[in-house]
Amino acid sequence: MSPIKKIILGLFVSSLIGYLEWGNKREFIAEIEFNLLLKITQTFEAFIHPLVLLPLLGQSVLLISFLLPKPKIWLVIIASTGSALLFLMLLLIGLLNSNLKITCCSLPFLVFYGLLITRRKSLNLGN
């Protein structure tokens, strides 16, 4: 497996383990997305929110990029940036609230995102 494929797979999998806590509810992003997809006809307005739409579109494009023989680096960067916005917000929330679970669950995605950004030129992909 090529290095870009490893990074894309890492980005996709780590985007599912983001952790949220609000009130007395606690869920991983994968659980929230699964529940939203099950109720898509009932809660279509929830998909319009940017913090739902951008990461979901980003995950979809990451999955498609992973399946392509030669993914385009610019497409992977754009797709992962949508999710990175959410994970940076989660990191900030985790740090401000001293919530170790939220902070630790946001770090894997941000590490893979950092690898993608810092090694984008050495991945030697066709633009």
Side-chain angles (χ1 to χ4, degrees):
M1 186 183 303
S2 68
I4 185 64
K5 295 271 187 165
K6 290 177 184 176
I7 291 175
I8 293 170
L9 184 61
L11 284 166
F12 181 76
V13 171
S14 63
S15 72
L16 298 174
I17 62 169
Y19 184 74
L20 298 165
E21 286 185 8
W22 66 100
N24 59 356
K25 288 189 165 195
R26 295 164 174 82
E27 287 185 310
F28 287 97
I29 289 179
E31 293 174 292
I32 295 168
E33 288 177 351
F34 182 72
N35 290 334
L36 279 173
L37 289 174
L38 284 179
K39 301 173 186 175
I40 191 168
T41 57
Q42 300 168 358
T43 60
F44 187 72
E45 297 84 28
F47 282 97
I48 298 171
H49 195 282
L51 289 177
V52 174
L53 186 63
L54 287 175
L56 196 58
L57 285 174
Q59 286 174 334
S60 302
V61 174
L62 284 174
L63 185 59
I64 292 168
S65 295
F66 180 74
L67 298 174
L68 292 174
K70 287 189 174 184
K72 304 284 185 189
I73 190 71
W74 61 269
L75 189 61
V76 175
I77 290 173
I78 291 170
S80 57
T81 300
S83 295
L85 295 172
L86 173 66
F87 280 89
L88 286 169
M89 188 183 75
L90 288 177
L91 179 66
L92 180 66
I93 290 169
L95 291 173
L96 290 176
N97 292 331
S98 300
N99 190 321
L100 192 59
K101 291 178 190 175
I102 294 175
T103 303
C104 289
C105 286
S106 63
L107 288 177
F109 180 86
L110 295 173
V111 167
F112 280 110
Y113 185 69
L115 284 172
L116 175 69
I117 298 301
T118 58
R119 297 186 181 181
R120 67 185 178 273
K121 292 185 181 182
S122 66
L123 293 172
N124 197 16
L125 297 173
N127 291 334

